[in-house]
Amino acid sequence: AVAAGLGVCVVSGSRGRSAASVLRLASSTPTVVHSPPLHVAPTRLRSPVTTSSGRGRSVAVFRSPIASRNVRSMAAPNVLLPAAGASSHSPLTPALLATSVLVITGALCWARRVREAAGITVVPQWAMMSAVGDGVQGSMQSSLMGPCHTSASRRSQQMYASTSMETPSNPLLDQRGLPRFAAVDACHVQSAMTEVLATLETDFQKLQEEVGTVPVTDVYTVAVEQMEVLTAPLTYAWGVVGHLLGVKNSDALREVHEAMQPKVIMTTQLMGQSVALYNAMEAMRAEAEAWNSLEEPQQRIVEASLRSMKHSGVGLSGNQLEQFNQIALRLAELSTKFSNNVLDSTKMFDLTLTDKDQVSGLPDTALGLYAQTAKSKGHENADPQNGPWVITLDAPSYMPAMQHLKDRGLREKLYRAFVSRASTGNQDNSPIISEILKLKRQRALMLGYKTAADMSMASKMAKSVEEVDQLSEMLRSASFEAAKRELADVQAFAEKHGFDGKLALWDVTYWAERQKEALYAITAEELRPYFALPLVLQGLFDLCERLFEVKVVEADGEAEVWHKDVRFFKILEKGEHIASFYLDPYSRPEDKQGGAWMDVCVGASKVLDRKPVAYLTCNGSPPVGDVPSLMTFQEVTTLFHEAGHGLQHMLTRVKDAEAAGINNVEWDAVELPSQFMENWCYDRATLYGFAKHYSTGEPLPEEMFQKLVAQKNYNSGLGMLRQVYFQQLDIELHARYDPDDASVGTPFDVMQSMAAKYSVIPPLPEDRFLCTFGHIFAGGYDAGYYSYKWAEVMSADAFSAFEEVGLEDDKAIKEVGRRFRETVLALGGGQHPSDVYREFRGRDPTPDALIRHYGLSM
């Protein structure tokens, strides 16, 4: 948001892709599906992109080079968040391996999408295992692969030492069920990873020898299914490490991760560059009988594997290959460093206030949070009424200050600190950005592409940079004049109420909030008491049952967790346990990356006999005293957004792991279910299912509901334009900017020039937003941030299918919901997204619904 010149932007990441799983595994800054950057500006908070540092999942989007799919949310333009996105711990198959070396997803976001807090890390998808059957952690029969029923699984168990059923003392090696989070410590990482990598290298050599001897009709079994079993211990153990980097970060964990990451990358690189595997799959694809014997999801897996292996350098040799591998190692190192710098710089700043006049204008919820933060920092007697109060740059703390603090000087101080994070001293990401851009361009040229953006487009729905440019120009045309009018209206309102001069960047969010209160006679703080997390969760679960005919049940205590606030749930379909998920809802700036993301703990797999398990991670407002977490409406939509990613992962019908859930879904389509779910937050039946006062139980007054709906499109032009700015800045840096040509200036010069076209208020000359843009520098969203808007065209069109049958017609809604469940949520990466969408909608999507939902016009 800062980059856009309005408010505060929290970038996190939200989405990792299956192709990126392998690389991500190595780089392990969790990669997740993230929310878009969070802003504190006067735009509606949607869930586009939140970038963060350190992937996933964002997906962002993010940390591991092993290609986990981490999805991050894309939040409104001015909030501190991660980007859409999710990271998954999916099996390390050829595609993942290849990609693993390509995508370094850091903790987000990306992918996604929350209006997440600043700098997020994404976790690798493949990292965690899902429980086998109904057993979670305790079932001794739940081996890492479960009671594999396929011949490939049985053969692999017999052939490879890595599938030993002995119970190891190291919790990272005890992979019989879900991760033993209560037991895992940094001291376990080096010994576990050393053992896992040594076994994998030996077993992989045997597999390479075997794949060259089997009939072409058996290649899929060896190259994909046996590979999945072979790499499961690595994806499990390293995935746990990556996840903990994002949610329980520590110096000790960082150190051991940095020590082991190069070894993980080199091992996965070696597999991704296997000529034997590549040639075997090419031969299978060329042989009609063998190829036609594969189902469509399996064919897509092979095609993705071949493309990913090309991208991992399988066609290179000699000095070129050695140089390529060094680039992969360095990119992984830089990605992790980028994320850590964002986290560290965010933690380093706090503002202690002791005078009541300084906190004038702040709502009670903010005062309570700031007093609670003060207590955690040693002010034992701090209380909401008398202070002291401590404000940090973490989104739940920063945003209320920018929206409500009357003291303009304090707002300026906070704003300048926020936009300069990770840009000075030991946490300076500026040189990291330049080096990342150079290395990505160099890598693309080595693989035969003209630019890093061209390489990115090879695996997207959008097939060229020009298609992205066309989308951006269409959305810019629809929003630019509206954004200018909206900013002028805020300026006029401020002047009418005593403000003298031109609004500065730290004024816009404050006065926009005042204008919104005046226009709609409703404030975010007035709404909070009606959005208690326990009730919001139940409303979300009721919606899932209504639309998709699945039931979410509490299962706390059935799985170990990494923090006391983490919840565990199961999903039942017709009484059968089909999936599970962890929910980590609150901000913990001391050790948790900012932003919101969905990540994969365990992926669905017929070979490993696994059920899917997801991580849903948010950075919402924590409880204060005896009062439960009272959410802002933006936090509500962020939760729904991440749940959408989780549903696509958990409700998959595809059993081939690399195409199940969010795996192998083209990056620019992965935000469809997440952004689709956000729309239900404005649906009357859905909202009234949970909008009840936390202490009285009274429903949200009708007048407040009408105002909430009316203000949905407040400053929507600014919000739309901000996201277009982010995506075109990303494209410019990866498609047209030459980092080796000093005459074109720095990436920050590019940022200023793009702001001139896509912003109505320029950023400060010293603005260093790029230093926290984890979506594209640590979350796997490079040349892919446009995915938020690309997918939003589809998500808005998809929701319009429900509007067309009537949101009040429960029977019709259930029917459309069932169709959505059996297509978009069920088919995963087993079919091309265009085909999946046509199966749901009966036609291709149009942008009409998106423009209408924003209250704009073409």
Side-chain angles (χ1 to χ4, degrees):
V2 165
L6 289 178
V8 182
C9 177
V10 178
V11 182
S12 86
S14 169
R15 343 350 211 99
R17 282 13 180 200
S18 100
S21 299
V22 176
L23 176 54
R24 199 200 261 173
L25 177 54
S27 106
S28 187
T29 295
T31 286
V32 229
V33 184
H34 301 248
S35 297
L38 177 64
H39 333 68
V40 171
T43 64
R44 65 173 177 179
L45 297 167
R46 299 185 59 80
S47 207
V49 176
T50 304
T51 59
S52 75
S53 62
R55 165 122 143 172
R57 346 88 56 191
S58 153
V59 26
V61 65
F62 226 73
R63 337 170 164 198
S64 0
I66 290 227
S68 66
R69 190 185 268 284
N70 206 300
V71 188
R72 286 184 180 276
S73 298
M74 168 185 100
N78 312 339
V79 200
L80 309 175
L81 312 165
S87 120
S88 342
H89 307 142
S90 304
L92 208 51
T93 51
L96 294 185
L97 288 170
T99 307
S100 92
V101 183
L102 290 179
V103 179
I104 293 151
T105 318
L108 148 145
C109 174
W110 70 189
R112 181 36 109 29
R113 284 205 134 302
V114 200
R115 302 76 163 70
E116 286 110 3
I120 301 239
T121 305
V122 185
V123 185
Q125 316 170 302
W126 36 263
M128 314 304 225
M129 297 261 335
S130 92
V132 176
D134 283 339
V136 186
Q137 192 144 337
S139 173
M140 293 299 291
Q141 294 181 335
S142 300
S143 70
L144 175 59
M145 35 237 112
C148 314
H149 298 302
T150 66
S151 59
S153 301
R154 287 195 296 271
R155 288 173 61 189
S156 299
Q157 291 182 54
Q158 296 166 4
M159 178 176 179
Y160 302 118
S162 58
T163 59
S164 170
M165 294 296 291
E166 296 180 6
T167 304
S169 58
N170 189 318
L172 288 174
L173 297 178
D174 183 3
Q175 302 181 354
R176 296 164 300 162
L178 291 175
R180 292 169 49 193
F181 286 115
V184 174
D185 189 83
C187 66
H188 297 120
V189 177
Q190 185 168 356
S191 60
M193 295 310 304
T194 299
E195 179 176 336
V196 166
L197 291 172
T199 302
L200 177 57
E201 290 174 7
T202 299
D203 291 348
F204 180 67
Q205 183 59 43
K206 296 177 183 178
L207 185 143
Q208 284 195 109
E209 295 170 359
E210 182 187 13
V211 77
T213 64
V214 300
V216 69
T217 52
D218 291 343
V219 166
Y220 186 88
T221 298
V222 177
V224 176
E225 294 183 343
Q226 287 189 20
M227 187 69 151
E228 181 182 342
V229 176
L230 184 74
T231 57
L234 172 60
T235 60
Y236 185 105
W238 194 241
V240 172
V241 175
H243 175 67
L244 291 176
L245 273 178
V247 297
K248 196 177 180 181
N249 201 292
S250 69
D251 291 340
L253 189 60
R254 283 189 192 183
E255 289 175 11
V256 72
H257 172 265
E258 291 174 3
M260 295 307 301
Q261 179 173 265
K263 300 176 183 179
V264 174
I265 292 177
M266 291 312 298
T267 299
T268 56
Q269 277 281 66
L270 178 67
M271 293 186 287
Q273 294 167 353
S274 170
V275 175
L277 275 179
Y278 184 84
N279 288 343
M281 286 192 288
E282 277 281 30
M284 174 178 57
R285 185 170 64 170
E287 210 280 318
E289 181 180 355
W291 184 247
N292 293 333
S293 70
L294 299 180
E295 298 175 354
E296 184 178 0
Q298 295 172 331
Q299 291 181 346
R300 277 177 53 85
I301 287 171
V302 173
E303 290 170 341
S305 296
L306 291 170
R307 180 178 60 243
S308 295
M309 293 183 80
K310 289 180 181 178
H311 285 182
S312 68
V314 71
L316 303 177
S317 61
N319 291 336
Q320 266 201 322
L321 181 60
E322 182 178 350
Q323 182 184 10
F324 185 90
N325 287 338
Q326 289 304 312
I327 289 175
L329 284 170
R330 183 58 177 163
L331 281 173
E333 177 185 349
L334 292 171
S335 173
T336 300
K337 180 63 174 174
F338 185 101
S339 298
N340 287 339
N341 284 347
V342 176
L343 176 63
D344 291 345
S345 63
T346 300
K347 290 195 302 183
M348 284 178 62
F349 177 93
D350 61 56
L351 179 64
T352 302
L353 305 177
T354 57
D355 189 331
K356 287 187 177 182
D357 290 340
Q358 292 178 305
V359 297
S360 177
L362 290 175
D364 291 342
T365 53
L367 293 173
L369 174 62
Y370 299 156
Q372 184 168 278
T373 303
K375 283 186 177 181
S376 71
K377 293 182 177 293
H379 300 280
E380 297 180 0
N381 298 321
D383 69 75
Q385 288 72 40
N386 302 303
W389 305 271
V390 174
I391 304 174
T392 69
L393 297 181
D394 194 47
S397 180
Y398 176 82
M399 290 190 57
M402 297 305 295
Q403 291 172 320
H404 301 288
L405 266 180
K406 289 184 178 180
D407 191 320
R408 189 182 186 220
L410 290 177
R411 294 202 308 271
E412 179 180 359
K413 184 173 184 178
L414 286 166
Y415 183 88
R416 289 183 179 277
F418 188 79
V419 301
S420 61
R421 288 174 303 146
S423 65
T424 60
N426 293 333
Q427 286 82 42
D428 189 1
N429 275 339
S430 302
I432 291 178
I433 289 172
S434 296
E435 188 174 358
I436 286 175
L437 291 172
K438 289 180 180 180
L439 291 176
K440 287 182 178 178
R441 182 172 185 271
Q442 185 177 356
R443 181 182 63 188
L445 291 172
M446 294 177 71
L447 295 175
Y449 295 98
K450 293 182 179 179
T451 68
D454 290 334
M455 179 176 167
S456 174
M457 294 299 158
S459 58
K460 303 290 197 300
M461 288 184 71
K463 292 307 178 185
S464 67
V465 168
E466 288 70 29
E467 286 190 22
V468 178
D469 289 339
Q470 290 169 12
L471 171 67
S472 296
E473 185 55 35
M474 178 191 73
L475 298 179
R476 179 186 179 277
S477 297
S479 60
F480 192 81
E481 292 303 320
K484 289 200 298 184
R485 290 193 300 272
E486 290 162 358
L487 181 61
D489 288 345
V490 176
Q491 176 75 46
F493 177 86
E495 292 173 356
K496 181 179 179 180
H497 290 80
F499 182 81
D500 184 20
K502 185 177 181 180
L503 291 176
L505 290 162
W506 46 88
D507 297 319
V508 176
T509 299
Y510 174 82
W511 283 106
E513 191 68 18
R514 305 288 80 74
Q515 183 190 39
K516 187 162 64 172
E517 292 169 357
L519 288 173
Y520 307 107
I522 188 174
T523 68
E525 293 305 312
E526 288 178 293
L527 290 169
R528 273 187 191 263
Y530 296 94
F531 299 139
L533 177 60
L535 292 175
V536 174
L537 278 177
Q538 189 55 56
L540 171 61
F541 300 160
D542 290 344
L543 177 66
C544 292
E545 186 168 11
R546 176 189 177 204
L547 295 181
F548 312 130
E549 299 179 328
V550 295
K551 190 173 184 64
V552 182
V553 297
E554 297 179 357
D556 296 312
E558 295 189 35
E560 292 185 21
V561 295
W562 52 93
H563 189 276
K564 62 181 179 62
D565 292 335
V566 176
R567 305 285 311 280
F568 188 69
F569 299 89
K570 289 182 177 179
I571 294 184
L572 309 180
E573 186 172 42
K574 297 180 181 178
E576 177 188 357
H577 171 213
I578 63 169
S580 308
F581 66 94
Y582 298 87
L583 174 65
D584 189 348
Y586 309 130
S587 170
R588 295 190 301 276
E590 67 278 4
D591 62 5
K592 181 180 178 183
Q593 294 283 356
W597 63 91
M598 170 267 165
D599 200 358
V600 176
C601 173
V602 184
S605 170
K606 68 180 181 185
V607 172
L608 300 179
D609 195 19
R610 297 195 217 163
K611 296 177 180 179
V613 181
Y615 300 116
L616 301 186
T617 305
C618 297
N619 269 271
S621 304
V624 177
D626 296 330
V627 179
S629 170
L630 301 180
M631 308 172 73
T632 65
F633 187 68
Q634 177 188 343
E635 290 172 344
V636 173
T637 56
T638 291
L639 175 62
F640 273 61
H641 177 102
E642 299 310 328
H645 285 306
L647 289 168
Q648 186 173 34
H649 169 61
M650 294 183 286
L651 301 190
T652 184
R653 302 280 193 208
V654 179
K655 298 305 179 185
D656 295 283
E658 277 200 66
I662 59 177
N663 283 337
N664 209 35
V665 176
E666 278 70 1
W667 192 279
D668 36 12
V670 77
E671 291 300 324
L672 165 55
S674 57
Q675 296 183 146
F676 164 80
M677 287 296 291
E678 291 186 47
N679 290 286
W680 293 98
C681 295
Y682 293 96
D683 172 58
R684 175 185 293 277
T686 302
L687 189 73
Y688 273 99
F690 61 79
K692 299 177 177 63
H693 197 281
Y694 78 96
S695 63
T696 67
E698 291 296 317
L700 182 74
E702 174 65 21
E703 181 183 9
M704 293 182 74
F705 171 71
Q706 294 297 336
K707 292 174 180 177
L708 176 64
V709 173
Q711 57 84 46
K712 179 181 72 169
N713 287 329
Y714 172 74
N715 282 354
S716 60
L718 286 167
M720 174 76 80
L721 190 62
R722 185 172 298 107
Q723 288 304 317
V724 174
Y725 165 65
F726 289 151
Q727 68 188 43
Q728 283 304 109
L729 173 58
D730 171 33
I731 288 294
E732 190 72 16
L733 288 172
H734 289 99
R736 291 179 276 266
Y737 173 68
D738 183 352
D740 294 311
D741 184 354
S743 67
V744 299
T746 69
F748 303 103
D749 294 326
V750 174
M751 187 186 89
Q752 294 289 341
S753 66
M754 296 303 290
K757 180 176 181 180
Y758 293 100
S759 297
V760 292
I761 178 171
L764 296 174
E766 62 270 29
D767 187 305
R768 290 298 179 265
F769 162 73
L770 284 176
C771 289
T772 58
F773 202 175
H775 275 80
I776 68 173
F777 295 117
Y781 276 85
D782 43 311
Y785 194 88
Y786 77 90
S787 300
Y788 286 107
K789 286 303 174 193
W790 186 281
E792 197 175 5
V793 170
M794 292 191 289
S795 68
D797 190 73
F799 186 72
S800 70
F802 292 82
E803 294 175 318
E804 288 166 9
V805 300
L807 295 175
E808 307 296 327
D809 188 336
D810 196 57
K811 182 178 179 180
I813 290 297
K814 287 179 180 292
E815 178 56 36
V816 181
R818 187 177 302 112
R819 194 165 71 244
F820 188 86
R821 187 259 185 271
E822 295 299 337
T823 53
V824 176
L825 299 182
L827 299 179
Q831 295 182 28
H832 191 279
S834 296
D835 296 332
V836 172
Y837 193 85
R838 291 186 198 106
E839 191 170 334
F840 163 66
R841 198 73 167 94
R843 57 169 177 75
D844 290 327
T846 71
D848 299 349
L850 175 64
I851 301 300
R852 173 171 56 82
H853 286 172
Y854 272 81
L856 302 172
S857 63
M858 298 298 290

